[in-house]
Amino acid sequence: MKMWLRILTSSVIFLGVILSGNAQTTIRYCVNVNGMWNAWQTSNLSGGFYGNYSGFHIFDEPNKPWGDIHFSFQIHGYVEPSDEVKKQHRRNKEWFQYNGTVEYWVCDEYPTIKDVLSKFGWPAICPTRGTIRRVKRTANAVIRIEPYKKHPRVYNFIFDDVAFAIDLEFDRW
């Protein structure tokens, strides 16, 4: 009886590991085109995120460490603020602001990020989908992070006449 219980337990754990490899990542995002923010949207990626709080890639395709990168950013010279600085920003409702770069894709049909965000509501053009010619763009950005206690959660990326926001608290929504 104990042997069957071990086999059953091991099988359930193994199956859970396999299924989690194929699970989707939920992302919350919104965009600002023409000076107006849209409502927060929720979407599922078959990929996920790779990086850290100072820069990461949003990618598609499961079971690949990078997959097709939709969007990425890097904050220049990021240093984790002290607990006192974090507390001060929370108290004053003052967002952290950094300079950095973002990378995104455009194509012949949607040649600017403004066109892409207006059509799809987020940087949806992937580099390897279909036969449309795609081009990666790199832009300087102002990156704003909402005040936080432990780890950054909401990022705003302002670049090329648009803004894109991400909420990293996936499992709460």
Side-chain angles (χ1 to χ4, degrees):
M1 183 68 170
K2 285 184 180 182
M3 181 59 118
W4 282 108
L5 186 56
R6 267 193 212 143
I7 291 171
L8 180 62
T9 303
S10 297
S11 297
V12 168
I13 291 171
F14 180 73
L15 184 61
V17 170
I18 289 173
L19 292 176
S20 68
N22 293 322
Q24 292 185 333
T25 299
T26 301
I27 179 174
R28 279 181 36 94
Y29 59 91
C30 63
V31 299
N32 181 325
V33 177
N34 297 325
M36 296 191 60
W37 286 99
N38 70 349
W40 284 99
Q41 305 291 314
T42 302
S43 184
N44 291 317
L45 291 174
S46 56
F49 297 85
Y50 182 82
N52 57 41
Y53 294 113
S54 67
F56 58 77
H57 307 281
I58 301 173
F59 66 93
D60 214 356
E61 290 190 40
N63 303 322
K64 288 188 177 181
W66 298 94
D68 286 335
I69 296 174
H70 287 278
F71 180 84
S72 63
F73 79 93
Q74 185 64 53
I75 295 173
H76 302 305
Y78 177 79
V79 176
E80 177 76 21
S82 68
D83 289 342
E84 184 58 38
V85 170
K86 290 178 193 176
K87 185 176 182 179
Q88 180 182 10
H89 276 255
R90 284 193 318 275
R91 187 177 331 117
N92 296 330
K93 298 181 181 173
E94 178 186 358
W95 287 53
F96 293 94
Q97 184 165 307
Y98 303 95
N99 292 316
T101 55
V102 295
E103 291 184 341
Y104 59 90
W105 293 86
V106 295
C107 66
D108 291 337
E109 192 172 347
Y110 305 103
T112 68
I113 190 64
K114 192 172 190 177
D115 295 332
V116 171
L117 295 177
S118 294
K119 172 65 177 176
F120 301 106
W122 93 301
I125 296 177
C126 289
T128 61
R129 300 256 167 86
T131 58
I132 298 171
R133 189 175 75 82
R134 291 160 176 80
V135 178
K136 181 168 56 171
R137 300 280 188 232
T138 301
N140 291 324
V142 172
I143 301 167
R144 298 180 69 223
I145 301 175
E146 184 179 45
Y148 59 95
K149 188 171 186 171
K150 291 186 181 183
H151 302 290
R153 174 179 163 184
V154 177
Y155 289 78
N156 288 352
F157 308 97
I158 300 121
F159 61 100
D160 290 352
D161 243 0
V162 298
F164 176 57
I166 298 173
D167 183 342
L168 296 178
E169 195 69 33
F170 337 102
D171 58 342
R172 289 192 55 202
W173 308 101

